[in-house]
Amino acid sequence: MIEITNKIYYVGVNDRNKNLFEGLWPLPNGVSYNSYLIDDEKVCLIDTVEVDFFVPYLKNIQEVIGERPIDYLVINHMEPDHSGSIALIKKYYPDIQIIGNKKTFQMMEGFYGISDGTVEVKNGDSIDLGAHTLNFVLTPMVHWPETMVTLDTTSHVLFSGDAFGCFGALNGGIIDSEINCDTFWLEMVRYYSNIVGKYGTPVQNALKKLSGIQLDYICATHGPVWHEYISKVIDMYDKMSRYETERGLVICYGTMYGNTERAAEIIARAASQAGIKNIVMYNVSKTHHSYIIRDVFRYRGLIVGAPTYNTGLYHEMDVLLSELAGKDIKGNHLLGWFGSFSWASKAVGEIAKWNEEHLHFEAVGTPVEIKQSVNADTFAQCEALGRAMAERLLSE
């Protein structure tokens, strides 16, 4: 049994086998599916786990309560990695009452055909378990329309659903004070930027609802239970949802035979010599885009470059720009760009079009267009682009 505090238990599981979360995002360190059990006069389960892990999940529950029934199941989020075991839980605990909001139950019937045994709650409603009182706060579009969080006002514990979560399995320890959290910070940024990042305004609205409330533990559905680092994780979510960035530069490029890559190296060197220390470079065909998107959320400057391909933009760069546009990134991002071609110039114009129609980042420097390979003139233009970005970053 893993008791977090005051008869609140962790009963989640780890997934070290899945390669891609949601079929999209790499999981080099796995992922946890966190669920929690409150052992009170009324037993309450908070969220479930992905259905493939139901057998160990059930054993974790029974280790805490034995043969006692579960009175309530709170569903904060209906995504199947958290709701997938609802139908099986109902088979083992047929009298269980499922707590959620109106949109929760619409989805539950669609996913699992379940419409009975429900208790609908609205924003601000409460339920007493005995020693514990649960208060429900609706947080729509963080990051689905039915999302809510549950606050144990007795123990000052927030069951936050996907909010404040991160990639990475839990390697023995559950609470942040028990583990080295160094590997989780960038994975929290990658998790947020790729999954929640489009919804900055709803996240800000949720943070306002929770402001001023005493929180001793944050129990998210992925990653560690936050205790010592509560202020840090809230601050990270606040900054990310306001699209606040650090001074730094992401340079990402597509290349077929190395000519565009050479241009990227020249740009990076010029930016470095001009005083920018935080520079990361990515080949868009080699690095999974989730890591690039993570760093675009972190750093203010972005320079992209790619060849013309099939009279259009190099495919992987086209995909990356589409993904960035889909995040609806607001704020003070800066963008420079360059491109190459052999006989038909398209890349530079296509990148400009992406920015004008979708990204709306502040354009910096003069775009560089390279025919066949870098020559003395385009070498100087690449240096000028790197310096222009550095000067703009350093100007504030």
Side-chain angles (χ1 to χ4, degrees), residues 93-135:
Y93 302 97
D95 296 325
I96 196 168
Q97 296 288 297
I98 302 175
I99 298 174
N101 59 71
K102 184 176 181 179
K103 292 181 179 178
T104 304
F105 299 137
Q106 293 170 354
M107 291 186 180
M108 189 169 70
E109 185 170 10
F111 275 120
Y112 310 114
I114 297 171
S115 58
D116 62 313
T118 62
V119 177
E120 182 180 332
V121 293
K122 296 179 174 62
N123 189 65
D125 285 352
S126 297
I127 287 181
D128 287 329
L129 304 179
H132 297 258
T133 299
L134 302 183
N135 182 258

Side-chain angles (χ1 to χ4, degrees), residues 77-384:
H77 182 25
M78 273 299 300
E79 203 164 1
D81 54 333
H82 309 302
S83 67
S85 292
I86 290 177
L88 287 173
I89 284 289
K90 275 187 68 70
K91 287 185 181 298
Y92 279 83
Y93 302 97
D95 296 325
I96 196 168
Q97 296 288 297
I98 302 175
I99 298 174
N101 59 71
K102 184 176 181 179
K103 292 181 179 178
T104 304
F105 299 137
Q106 293 170 354
M107 291 186 180
M108 189 169 70
E109 185 170 10
F111 275 120
Y112 310 114
I114 297 171
S115 58
D116 62 313
T118 62
V119 177
E120 182 180 332
V121 293
K122 296 179 174 62
N123 189 65
D125 285 352
S126 297
I127 287 181
D128 287 329
L129 304 179
H132 297 258
T133 299
L134 302 183
N135 182 258
F136 305 101
V137 179
L138 272 59
T139 56
M141 297 316 302
V142 185
H143 54 119
W144 278 24
E146 88 302 349
T147 53
M148 67 181 194
V149 298
T150 301
L151 177 66
D152 181 339
T153 58
T154 306
S155 302
H156 308 294
V157 175
L158 179 69
F159 301 98
S160 62
D162 274 352
F164 310 116
C166 58
F167 295 129
L170 299 173
N171 301 326
I174 302 299
I175 303 173
D176 59 5
S177 57
E178 304 171 337
I179 59 182
N180 184 335
C181 292
D182 290 350
T183 60
F184 288 107
W185 302 124
L186 281 181
E187 286 293 74
M188 176 176 280
V189 179
R190 188 165 70 95
Y191 179 90
Y192 177 92
S193 59
N194 285 277
I195 295 174
V196 189
K198 182 180 179 70
Y199 305 106
T201 299
V203 171
Q204 280 290 304
N205 292 337
L207 290 174
K208 289 174 184 175
K209 288 183 177 181
L210 296 171
S211 65
I213 296 174
Q214 179 181 340
L215 298 178
D216 293 341
Y217 294 87
I218 295 179
C219 297
T221 46
H222 299 293
V225 170
W226 302 113
H227 179 52
E228 289 187 354
Y229 290 112
I230 285 177
S231 295
K232 178 172 182 173
V233 298
I234 292 177
D235 185 59
M236 287 176 67
Y237 258 64
D238 180 43
K239 289 179 177 178
M240 289 187 293
S241 60
R242 288 188 286 108
Y243 304 96
E244 185 175 313
T245 53
E246 304 173 41
R247 178 185 293 161
L249 174 59
V250 180
I251 301 175
C252 51
Y253 60 89
T255 193
M256 290 184 284
Y257 302 109
N259 292 304
T260 317
E261 184 175 48
R262 185 181 178 216
E265 295 283 2
I266 296 165
I267 292 166
R269 183 61 181 155
S272 175
Q273 289 179 321
I276 300 303
K277 295 182 178 180
N278 292 325
I279 300 175
V280 291
M281 295 185 67
Y282 294 111
N283 182 329
V284 293
S285 297
K286 181 179 180 182
T287 300
H288 193 277
H289 293 181
S290 67
Y291 295 93
I292 302 173
I293 293 169
R294 175 198 69 187
D295 285 343
V296 170
F297 266 74
R298 293 173 67 202
Y299 295 128
R300 188 179 181 196
L302 172 65
I303 296 178
V304 300
T308 297
Y309 194 85
N310 282 343
T311 66
L313 183 59
Y314 187 72
H315 175 264
E316 286 300 315
M317 181 57 71
D318 201 47
V319 171
L320 174 65
L321 295 176
S322 174
E323 291 168 338
L324 288 173
K327 302 303 177 189
D328 194 22
I329 300 171
K330 299 175 179 63
N332 57 358
H333 279 77
L334 311 173
L335 179 68
W337 62 93
F338 62 102
S340 61
F341 68 99
S342 293
W343 69 88
S345 172
K346 288 290 184 180
V348 166
E350 289 297 310
I351 295 171
K353 186 176 178 181
W354 268 111
N355 193 43
E356 291 166 6
E357 296 183 359
H358 301 287
L359 297 175
H360 311 298
F361 292 174
E362 179 185 330
V364 173
T366 302
V368 182
E369 190 168 53
I370 301 160
K371 186 175 182 179
Q372 280 108 42
S373 64
V374 176
N375 57 29
D377 288 340
T378 50
F379 189 105
Q381 291 170 26
C382 287
E383 287 187 316

